[in-house]
Amino acid sequence: MSQFRSEDMSLIQLFVQNEAAHDTMYELGEVGAIQFKDLNKEKSMFQRMFVGDVRKCDDMLRILQFISETVHQDKKLVSGGAVVPSMTVDEIHDELQELDKEIKQLSANYTQLLKSEAELKEHKYVLSQSGRWLQGGQEISFNAPTTDDEDRVEMRSLLDDSEAQTQKVMGMLGHISGCIPTANLRDFGLTLFRATRGNMLLRHEDISESSLADPKSGEAVQKSVFIVFFSGERSRAKIDKIADSYGATKYRLPETPAGQEQLAQEIDERLRDLGAVLSKSRNFRRGRLQQVAGCLEPWGELARREKAVFHTLNKLNVDVTHQCLIAEGWCPTSKLEEVRDALRRGAVHAGAAVPTVLNVVRTRETPPTYFRSNKLTAGFQAIVDAYGMASYREFNPAIFSVVTFPFLFGVMFGDIGHGFIMTLAAGLLCLHEGRLSSLASHEMFGTVYQGRYAILLMGIFATYAGFIYNELFSVPQPFFAPTSWCGPDDTDPDCLSVPGASKNATQKWLRSSLEGAWDFGARTTTGTEVAWEVYPFGTDPGWSHASNKINAANTFKMKFAIVCGVAQMVAGICCKLANALRARDALTVWFVWLPEMVFINAIFGYLVALILAKWTTNWDATYVLNNEEVVSIPQRYCDADLSRLPCWTPPFVADRAAVPGYGGLLAQLPQAMWCMAPGAATAGCAVMRWKGQLVVEGNTFVTKALADPHTFNAAACEAGIGGCSLFKQPPPSILDTLINMFMEIGSVPVSQQLVPGQAPLQVFLILAAAVSVPMLLLPRPLLLKRRHERRAARHVPLADEDGGGGGGGGHEEVFDFGEEMVHQAIHTIEYVLSCISNTASYLRLWALSLAHAQLSEVFWEKAVVEIGLESGSPALVLATITAW
């Protein structure tokens, strides 16, 4: 029963020898059955004994994380498979520190080599593409636009002849060349033009390679070669600064072709040498990483365990003799023997001369909550604990959630196809859970792996709900039987063999045993009741072609969601009763649980009862008599002498005077007493006798006044047959009934009645709900105050004798009536509001189920039918079905 209630816990005290402390904590960690108390709360983490060891483990984990990231960056490295050397933690730490320095140095050198290689490649592109621009730049002069007499634009030299001659003598123009990210090229050119006022010439060309490593960042970037021609040293300084600001890399470009060719040869030679060095450096670095790649996971696991051990040891108190450590913690009583075995193993491994001493301490402290879980319940327990942890020895709601959580998901996601796919995927995870356990640490896959059993149950219940909804990727299927509905387009002989069935009918009709209840050849009754065929399981597939299929599906799913939600809420309140009974808390039973149960059932439990009553009522045999009472008339046909009333008139006889045996009697009744409209024969009209009067079913669609209680009632019927009425009761709206329950208290029209005595019952339920709120709010705080005052009064004489006031009453629990009253008021308000909001929240199940079904249907009609099947292409059909 430990899974239904938290286990009994014992407070234990351990006396551990210093030399055995580490091994003892390691063995206790393997058992995982103790929650240690921190006995050094007054000390900071930096003042504790084993803070150095914790730092060492943190340093190991940091280095392992760095090396793991480095290994993952190299796609050719294969993790695992290596033999893990047997080393102590200190040796592993020293090895990791040396490896950290070595890998960082190798990585830094390798990065520097890559940077140099990228610079040489860029320099080579600059030489190959900018040489011809430089030769053309020797003849460039800067001009400004001028306008002649004919308004034509010409270029006039900015320099006069003497200045131009001096410029040529001084060496003409200067230039700056290099590479720049292509994305910055446009802004770079605009900035240069504005800074130099147009006194420059920029030429550029994209590098043919799709991406080139940036020497500064090392990232692959699309770059372009550029050269800027300018005049003057001030322009050079401006252009240098602008180029640096836009991330450009500048390279030397000799002015003569011979110099360019010589520099290109030098770059090619350096690239060859650098490639060889890079290859050797890469291979050496890769080989060094491969040596430790297989050790990373076991070393990481060891470091994490050691950190947990030393972190726990920091919680232990040091004995005054400094020869042992003292620990306190909570342990499940059922696991005390396992703990003792672990203590013995730790002492043996450490070679301690004195074994660890375990004492069970009696205490009045409230123990922590511990629920035993397994692979199936662990995921659901984590979900419940995320919302709130149950108190010690309280009922465990996670056991219910093993069924309710996936079932409610199935209500929301009900579809046979999608549910089966989910079940299949989760089943494979559960079947191969051992092989996939190594991937549980992955962020995305780990979440799915940890919840594999929850997903399996969710898939099973989604498939089950899909059978209830009869939706296979939104397409209904006749899994259990053909549809029970007949239509004018049916070719089924069983449908068309029924007398009265017509291919000209505009509505569908249910299959029934009509021929077994009425002998159409002899035109006599057989005495048996007509039975309507019911689909064996789930929703009849015939609804898929009905014009009101969405309304029918919405109505069912909405009511189904409310029934499931209220049932779950009531089950949760029953858990509170189980906890109160075990604690022998009478106040909680009578003044918390009982008012809560009355309130929720007086409103929402009554709503569920109305839903179930509506589902289970045969509305074809339910009638309103004289607008004052509801009667049931089963569909059994009358004898010729009307000897077995109530009964029904013969089927498909539109003229009541033509009814064999008692047609003349029916013809004498008022015209309103006949349910068949002219030319529209039905399966018969109900007939009954009330206080000597023969009353026949009327048609409220033809004679709407039949539903008027002022004209047709019991008194009018007693006065004469013209005041009698009998008509079929339409199924009442549950929503209107619930609204009118509060808006029109004590008033329920007979035509809207679902259960007998509904009006006084609703008044009683409203009064019960109204009384339950103050019963939930007031009695418990007041009774607790009275109980506290009585306990305090018993200690007053002792305090008076001492004369100081601090006698025995000093050990009493402090009671604050104001705080208790506020707490109970908050609880009452939250409970009343949550009953309403939670019931509304359960309607999300219906909304999401509807959205899921409609989306699947749209995909089927628009993708598979209109695109795939109508195209006639097998490949397109396969693609659309896969997407669907």
Side-chain angles (χ1 to χ4, degrees):
M1 294 294 291
S2 61
Q3 291 185 345
F4 291 92
R5 287 191 182 276
S6 62
E7 290 201 2
D8 287 322
M9 304 292 287
S10 299
L11 180 62
I12 61 174
Q13 190 177 50
L14 304 178
F15 295 89
V16 189
Q17 296 298 310
N18 290 341
E19 63 272 15
H22 177 273
D23 293 337
T24 300
M25 289 301 147
Y26 189 89
E27 294 294 335
L28 290 177
E30 293 291 335
V31 176
I34 301 179
Q35 179 180 328
F36 287 94
K37 299 172 65 175
D38 191 356
L39 303 181
N40 298 316
K41 292 182 179 180
E42 70 282 355
K43 296 182 180 179
S44 66
M45 295 303 298
F46 303 101
Q47 296 174 332
R48 306 198 180 192
M49 182 180 299
F50 300 96
V51 62
D53 299 282
V54 174
R55 288 177 176 175
K56 182 189 297 183
C57 296
D58 286 334
D59 190 42
M60 293 171 61
L61 292 172
R62 178 191 60 78
I63 297 173
L64 288 169
Q65 178 67 23
F66 164 71
I67 298 176
S68 297
E69 293 175 356
T70 306
V71 170
H72 291 156
Q73 290 174 0
D74 196 332
K75 306 298 183 181
K76 295 185 179 181
L77 282 174
V78 180
S79 301
V83 178
V84 181
S86 178
M87 302 170 64
T88 63
V89 176
D90 293 334
E91 293 174 344
I92 294 175
H93 182 243
D94 295 339
E95 177 70 18
L96 286 175
Q97 284 185 323
E98 295 179 3
L99 189 62
D100 182 40
K101 296 178 182 178
E102 184 177 359
I103 295 300
K104 285 182 177 179
Q105 184 65 34
L106 290 174
S107 299
N109 294 338
Y110 186 72
T111 303
Q112 185 62 36
L113 290 174
L114 289 176
K115 180 179 179 181
S116 301
E117 184 185 36
E119 291 176 349
L120 291 175
K121 287 182 178 180
E122 287 188 358
H123 201 170
K124 184 177 180 181
Y125 276 110
V126 171
L127 286 174
S128 63
Q129 296 185 20
S130 299
R132 52 188 177 87
W133 294 338
L134 181 61
Q135 298 305 317
Q138 301 293 334
E139 304 299 331
I140 296 174
S141 62
F142 292 93
N143 299 298
T146 60
T147 306
D148 60 7
D149 296 337
E150 298 180 359
D151 292 334
R152 290 178 300 178
V153 176
E154 294 182 352
M155 301 300 294
R156 184 168 57 86
S157 175
L158 291 174
L159 306 174
D160 54 19
D161 294 340
S162 60
E163 290 178 337
Q165 186 67 27
T166 305
Q167 183 71 12
K168 289 182 180 180
V169 173
M170 294 177 62
M172 299 298 292
L173 301 176
H175 67 272
I176 294 177
S177 60
C179 289
I180 189 173
T182 306
N184 299 341
L185 187 59
R186 180 177 177 276
D187 295 338
F188 175 62
L190 291 174
T191 306
L192 285 178
F193 183 82
R194 293 170 181 172
T196 61
R197 299 184 180 181
N199 293 324
M200 63 88 197
L201 178 65
L202 171 66
R203 290 187 176 180
H204 59 84
E205 185 174 338
D206 293 343
I207 295 178
S208 59
E209 289 190 17
S210 59
S211 60
L212 197 66
D214 187 8
K216 297 180 179 179
S217 63
E219 298 179 356
V221 181
Q222 179 64 44
K223 288 200 168 186
S224 300
V225 174
F226 73 91
I227 186 169
V228 181
F229 296 99
F230 58 89
S231 175
E233 290 301 319
R234 294 182 61 186
S235 297
R236 176 186 292 275
K238 289 182 180 180
I239 294 172
D240 279 337
K241 292 180 180 179
I242 294 173
D244 292 338
S245 65
Y246 280 98
T249 309
K250 296 168 290 184
Y251 296 99
R252 181 172 64 90
L253 180 63
E255 296 183 0
T256 62
Q260 295 173 11
E261 183 177 357
Q262 181 180 0
L263 182 58
Q265 293 176 355
E266 293 177 1
I267 291 175
D268 289 337
E269 183 177 355
R270 291 179 60 187
L271 279 174
R272 286 193 297 270
D273 296 340
L274 193 58
V277 174
L278 273 173
S279 177
K280 292 182 180 180
S281 177
R282 186 187 305 112
N283 293 334
F284 178 78
R285 177 172 169 268
R286 182 175 297 161
R288 192 71 180 94
L289 290 173
Q290 186 66 58
Q291 293 177 0
V292 297
C295 304
L296 297 179
E297 185 174 347
W299 282 357
E301 180 68 21
L302 177 62
R304 284 187 289 271
R305 292 193 178 193
E306 290 295 318
K307 181 181 178 181
V309 168
F310 289 116
H311 180 71
T312 305
L313 288 174
N314 277 331
K315 296 182 179 181
L316 275 57
N317 197 0
V318 181
D319 184 61
V320 292
T321 61
H322 294 275
Q323 294 182 355
C324 69
L325 299 174
I326 302 174
E328 289 185 4
W330 294 97
C331 174
T333 306
S334 60
K335 291 193 175 184
L336 285 176
E337 287 301 321
E338 295 184 36
V339 171
R340 289 190 176 95
D341 292 339
L343 294 177
R344 284 191 289 269
R345 290 195 302 269
V348 171
H349 291 167
V354 180
T356 301
V357 179
L358 185 150
N359 295 329
V360 178
V361 182
R362 290 188 177 183
T363 180
R364 291 187 177 182
E365 294 183 40
T366 301
T369 302
Y370 172 73
F371 293 112
R372 185 181 299 179
S373 60
N374 51 39
K375 293 189 295 184
L376 175 62
T377 62
F380 299 100
Q381 189 70 59
I383 294 174
V384 173
D385 292 344
Y387 283 94
M389 180 65 68
S391 299
Y392 178 63
R393 298 298 292 164
E394 279 191 346
F395 207 85
N396 185 14
I399 300 302
F400 290 113
S401 68
V402 174
V403 176
T404 58
F405 182 86
F407 178 76
L408 292 178
F409 176 84
V411 172
M412 175 187 68
F413 192 71
D415 189 281
I416 301 171
H418 293 147
F420 177 76
I421 293 175
M422 181 180 293
T423 304
L424 182 62
L428 293 176
L429 288 177
C430 296
L431 186 63
H432 302 287
E433 59 182 13
R435 300 179 184 177
L436 300 174
S437 59
S438 59
L439 302 176
S441 59
H442 190 273
E443 183 177 0
M444 294 297 294
F445 181 79
T447 304
V448 178
Y449 178 80
Q450 297 296 337
R452 59 192 181 279
Y453 288 100
I455 298 174
L456 176 64
L457 291 176
M458 290 158 62
I460 293 173
F461 281 108
T463 306
Y464 171 74
F467 278 110
I468 293 179
Y469 301 154
N470 198 350
E471 294 179 357
L472 176 63
F473 297 114
S474 79
V475 180
Q477 300 293 330
F479 288 109
F480 303 100
T483 177
S484 299
W485 289 89
C486 296
D489 298 331
D490 283 329
T491 58
D492 190 349
D494 294 337
C495 289
L496 301 179
S497 64
V498 179
S502 174
K503 285 186 172 294
N504 297 324
T506 58
Q507 293 183 342
K508 295 185 176 183
W509 61 91
L510 267 175
R511 303 172 190 262
S512 64
S513 61
L514 186 63
E515 292 181 298
W518 177 260
D519 189 344
F520 286 92
R523 301 186 69 186
T524 59
T525 180
T526 62
T528 60
E529 184 179 348
V530 175
W532 301 94
E533 185 172 325
V534 179
Y535 197 70
F537 182 83
T539 304
D540 193 308
W543 281 102
S544 62
H545 305 292
S547 59
N548 62 337
K549 67 173 183 178
I550 295 181
N551 291 335
N554 281 352
T555 301
F556 169 72
K557 292 181 178 180
M558 187 186 301
K559 293 180 175 65
F560 190 37
I562 291 177
V563 171
C564 295
V566 174
Q568 188 179 31
M569 289 191 291
V570 171
I573 300 174
C574 291
C575 291
K576 179 179 292 186
L577 174 63
N579 295 329
L581 291 177
R582 188 189 180 282
R584 299 179 180 179
D585 187 356
L587 289 181
T588 300
V589 173
W590 293 106
F591 300 109
V592 177
W593 175 81
L594 186 59
E596 289 179 353
M597 186 64 73
V598 170
F599 180 84
I600 192 171
N601 284 292
I603 300 177
F604 303 102
Y606 174 66
L607 175 63
V608 172
L610 292 180
I611 292 173
L612 298 179
K614 187 174 181 178
W615 280 351
T616 55
T617 300
N618 182 7
W619 296 105
D620 286 322
T622 305
Y623 295 85
V624 177
L625 176 62
N626 295 327
N627 291 303
E628 291 188 2
E629 61 177 314
V630 177
V631 296
S632 178
I633 303 177
Q635 191 172 351
R636 184 184 299 109
Y637 291 106
C638 303
D639 295 329
D641 55 357
L642 295 178
S643 58
R644 290 188 295 182
L645 293 175
C647 57
W648 284 37
T649 61
F652 309 114
V653 180
D655 186 3
R656 59 180 179 174
V659 173
Y662 51 94
L665 184 60
L666 295 179
Q668 299 175 5
L669 298 175
Q671 188 65 33
M673 284 193 180
W674 191 241
C675 67
M676 302 186 197
T682 64
C685 300
V687 182
M688 68 174 297
R689 194 176 298 279
W690 183 80
K691 293 186 178 182
Q693 301 276 15
L694 187 66
V695 184
V696 182
E697 175 190 356
N699 191 332
T700 54
F701 291 98
V702 177
T703 309
K704 297 183 178 180
L706 289 174
D708 184 6
H710 300 289
T711 305
F712 297 92
N713 50 57
C717 187
E718 290 181 359
I721 190 63
C724 300
S725 67
L726 180 70
F727 57 89
K728 280 188 178 180
Q729 180 187 8
S733 170
I734 299 293
L735 180 60
D736 292 343
T737 301
L738 188 65
I739 293 175
N740 293 332
M741 176 180 175
F742 296 95
M743 301 302 295
E744 301 177 4
I745 300 176
S747 175
V748 179
V750 177
S751 59
Q752 300 296 319
Q753 183 174 295
L754 275 165
V755 294
Q758 186 170 339
L761 175 61
Q762 290 185 172
V763 174
F764 171 76
L765 293 177
I766 291 176
L767 291 176
V771 171
S772 64
V773 175
M775 291 298 293
L776 179 61
L777 173 64
L778 299 175
R780 190 173 187 274
L782 294 175
L783 291 175
L784 286 176
K785 178 184 179 183
R786 181 182 177 186
R787 179 186 297 177
H788 175 74
E789 290 174 348
R790 286 182 177 179
R791 290 180 179 176
R794 288 197 294 265
H795 295 287
V796 169
L798 296 177
D800 290 342
E801 289 178 4
D802 293 339
H811 300 285
E812 287 295 318
E813 182 181 355
V814 177
F815 177 80
D816 189 344
F817 175 73
E819 181 179 353
E820 185 66 29
M821 194 67 200
V822 170
H823 172 78
Q824 194 67 21
I826 293 174
H827 172 75
T828 303
I829 296 172
E830 286 183 346
Y831 178 78
V832 173
L833 295 180
S834 64
C835 285
I836 301 172
S837 63
N838 290 349
T839 304
S841 296
Y842 280 105
L843 291 177
R844 298 174 186 172
L845 302 177
W846 151 69
L848 292 174
S849 176
L850 173 66
H852 176 253
Q854 292 299 306
L855 185 62
S856 298
E857 185 176 353
V858 169
F859 265 100
W860 168 258
E861 294 178 354
K862 301 299 181 182
V864 179
V865 177
E866 296 184 5
I867 298 178
L869 297 179
E870 294 182 0
S871 68
S873 171
L876 192 57
V877 170
L878 180 61
T880 54
I881 290 179
T882 303
W884 169 60

